[in-house]
Each structure stands twice: as C-alpha cells, then as structure tokens.
Amino acid sequence: MKKRIAMIVLIPLVLLPLNQNGKAQEFPTLDPMILHPEWYIKVLDWSVYSVWSGVAIIHHVTIENTSDIAYKGIKVRVLYYSNSVTNNGKQISQETGILPITLPPHSKNTYLKGGSTLGASSMGMYAGYLEVLGAVPLLEQEKSK
C-alpha cells in the first residue's frame, strides 16, 4: 500500500519537470499554427529594388494570414537571378531578412509601402522568388504586455 502511494506521488513529479524558477515546465505545443507559421502566411505580391549602394529595398508586400493567431517578425528568403546575357535567369544569390510587420489573424493587407531594407543586392540581378521561412507567433500572453 505504501509503495502504491509513493508511486502515485512520484509519477506526477517525474512527468512535470521543473524549470530554473521551480515552476513546472509547459509541454511543447503540437499546434501547427505555432510550429509552422509559414504554412499560414501567403505572400501574394511584392517588389524589391536595388539602390546603387548595393542595398535591397522590399516594398508593397501583400500578405495573407490564414491562421487563427497573429504573427510578427516574418522571416523571408528572396532568390536573385542573373541579368547577364550569358547567365540570364540563373539563380546567383539569395538573401534572408525579417519583415518588420505584425499580421493579424485572418487578414490580407499590403505592408511596407514606404519600403524596408532587406539586405544586400546588386543592379546585375533581379529578385525572382520570395518564400516565407517562419514567423514569431503572438500568443495571448504576449499581446497583453
């Protein structure tokens, strides 16, 4: 009987490991909207141009968020292709960057109308493809801060 009581007491302690503050750690979520925000963020239209200094400016990005939660810090990758006669259309570079925007749930809007620095670029290439790599989910406790 005493062994049974000891096991009943020990099992929850083993299943709920404590973090550094002495509080029980939360179990990781299996929600795909949190694990894979890129599945729910669709870039519908966008423009990138290069300035003489070699800086890429992204602007007029139309994004749709089909998830139930908001996201911020949208991480994207832009693929660049050659303009040269000999290598025209060949991928020659890529750049990753963070779009400094917040997407409300179930929304569609155009952002960065004034432009935002994306990274390095060159006049000898053009941006031909953009993909969403991830984002930071805004959970309820973060919205209240």
Side-chain angles (χ1 to χ4, degrees):
M1 180 73 165
K2 289 182 181 181
K3 288 182 182 180
R4 177 181 274 179
I5 293 173
M7 292 299 280
I8 292 172
V9 171
L10 287 177
I11 289 174
L13 293 176
V14 172
L15 293 177
L16 294 173
L18 300 179
N19 63 18
Q20 295 170 347
N21 298 331
K23 296 180 182 177
Q25 293 180 355
E26 293 181 24
F27 288 106
T29 181
L30 298 177
D31 185 347
M33 289 183 215
I34 294 172
L35 295 175
H36 297 283
E38 67 276 10
W39 294 353
Y40 301 91
I41 300 171
K42 312 279 188 267
V43 177
L44 305 173
D45 193 25
W46 54 282
S47 295
V48 173
Y49 67 90
S50 299
V51 295
W52 286 105
S53 61
V55 175
I57 306 295
I58 189 166
H59 61 97
H60 291 87
V61 182
T62 302
I63 301 179
E64 181 178 22
N65 177 6
T66 60
S67 80
D68 296 335
I69 60 176
Y71 298 105
K72 68 177 182 177
I74 314 306
K75 185 174 183 179
V76 296
R77 175 175 31 221
V78 175
L79 303 183
Y80 290 100
Y81 299 89
S82 175
N83 279 345
S84 73
V85 174
T86 56
N87 289 323
N88 191 23
K90 180 180 179 185
Q91 182 188 340
I92 57 173
S93 182
Q94 65 182 5
E95 184 70 46
T96 57
I98 304 292
L99 303 181
I101 58 176
T102 299
L103 304 174
H106 299 289
S107 65
K108 179 180 171 183
N109 203 348
T110 300
Y111 301 90
L112 305 175
K113 294 177 183 176
S116 179
T117 303
L118 181 65
S121 184
S122 167
M123 300 298 278
M125 57 187 177
Y126 64 93
Y129 182 73
L130 181 142
E131 66 179 319
V132 176
L133 300 176
V136 177
L138 287 175
L139 305 176
E140 292 302 317
Q141 62 268 25
E142 292 179 17
K143 289 181 191 176
S144 61
K145 288 182 183 177

